[in-house]
Amino acid sequence: MRIGVVTFPGSLDDRDAARAVRECGGEAVPLWHGDADLLSVDAVILPGGFSYGDYLRCGAIARFAPVMEALVPAARGGLPVLGICNGFQVLTESHLLPGALIRNDHRKFNCVDQRLVVENASTAWTSDFEAGQEIEIVLKNGEGGFVADEKTLDMLEGEGRVVFRYVPDAEGRNPNGSYRHIAGITNERGNVVGLMPHPEHAVEEGYGPSLDGRGFFTSIIKQTLESAATA
C-alpha cells in the first residue's frame, strides 16, 4: 500500500503524515510539488503547513503546483485523497471540495486537543470508524473556519457529506467559527476527504491526546488491500 505525501514549500506536517502512514502499516512515498508525477501511488495525502507561505489565500498558490495538475484529474477519477488542515484548504481552492476556510472567528491561532463526532464512516478514509463515534485529535490552525452558502451547506448535510463535526463547548461554540460545526467534508464519491484537525498527530502512544488518528490510515490501507484482492 503506497501512500503519497506531497511536500510544498512551507509544508511542515509532511514528515508527520509519512510517519503516521508507516506506523499504520503503509509505505509512505514522498511527492514533490514541482513534479507532475504521482509515482503510481494508491492514495495521496496533502499535509498541513503553510504552502507557499500562505500568500494570497491559504492553498491558493498550491492549487497551481505541477503535482496538482496530476492529482486533480486522478482524484476526480477515484484516487483517494486526504487533505489535512492546509491540505483541506488546497482541496477547496482546487474545487475538489466545496466551501472555503477563513480566519478563525476569534482571530487567534488554535492549538488544542479537539473532540470530533464522526458523521460519515463510509468514506475511503473513515471506514474504520463508526458513525456517531467521538474521537479526539489535535487541532492547530489560524484560518480554519469552514464557510459556505446555505445551499451548499444544505447539500452537504442532505447528501451525508459532512464527515466530521466539532463537539461544541458548554456555550455551544466550536474552536474556529465553522458553520454548523463542520470540521471535515467529503466529495460525492467519498474518495476525497478534507478536515482541519490533524490525525497524524494521534497515532503513537505518548504523543498526542489519543490513538484515534490511526483510523484514518488503517481505513485507507484496508480498503485498498480489499480492492486489490477482489480486482
Side-chain angles (χ1 to χ4, degrees):
M1 173 61 191
R2 290 161 46 85
I3 301 178
V5 180
V6 178
T7 297
F8 298 103
S11 294
L12 57 81
D13 292 307
D14 47 342
R15 293 192 178 187
D16 300 80
R19 182 175 179 82
V21 170
R22 293 192 296 270
E23 285 289 321
C24 295
E27 177 186 352
V29 179
L31 299 177
W32 185 240
H33 72 106
D35 298 332
D37 186 352
L38 299 180
L39 303 179
S40 300
V41 295
D42 301 299
V44 171
I45 296 173
L46 299 177
F50 305 91
S51 58
Y52 299 94
D54 276 353
Y55 293 113
L56 299 182
R57 297 181 307 277
C58 299
I61 299 177
R63 169 190 175 186
F64 297 102
V67 72
M68 297 302 294
E69 295 176 9
L71 188 142
V72 169
R76 288 178 176 155
L79 180 73
V81 179
L82 177 67
I84 303 169
C85 196
N86 188 234
F88 187 8
Q89 295 161 343
V90 174
L91 291 176
T92 60
E93 289 287 342
S94 302
H95 306 297
L96 287 172
L97 292 176
L101 286 307
I102 65 171
R103 186 165 296 279
N104 298 345
D105 59 353
H106 49 72
R107 303 298 187 263
K108 296 179 181 179
F109 188 90
N110 280 322
C111 188
V112 296
D113 296 337
Q114 179 64 46
R115 294 201 66 77
L116 307 173
V117 175
V118 179
E119 297 282 352
N120 183 338
S122 63
T123 78
W125 299 90
T126 59
S127 59
D128 259 6
F129 297 113
E130 295 182 2
Q133 179 180 349
E134 285 197 14
I135 63 174
E136 186 174 17
I137 58 179
V138 175
L139 174 71
K140 51 175 190 173
N141 62 72
E143 298 186 63
F146 179 77
V147 298
D149 59 39
E150 287 297 310
K151 181 179 179 181
T152 300
L153 292 170
D154 289 343
M155 176 271 291
L156 291 171
E157 300 272 14
E159 295 181 2
R161 290 172 53 186
V162 175
V163 182
F164 299 98
R165 219 181 292 268
Y166 296 109
V167 175
D169 63 20
E171 297 180 0
R173 299 176 301 189
N174 65 63
N176 46 37
S178 291
Y179 291 0
R180 304 191 188 182
H181 303 308
I182 292 173
I185 60 175
T186 186
N187 64 344
E188 185 175 5
R189 191 168 180 168
N191 61 299
V192 178
V193 170
L195 77 162
M196 287 310 296
H198 288 259
E200 77 278 17
H201 297 323
V203 298
E204 296 180 81
E205 291 282 0
Y207 299 92
S210 71
L211 297 179
D212 292 340
R214 296 181 67 91
F216 291 80
F217 308 101
T218 56
S219 291
I220 190 61
I221 290 170
K222 288 179 181 178
Q223 175 171 301
T224 302
L225 293 175
E226 289 171 1
S227 296
T230 58

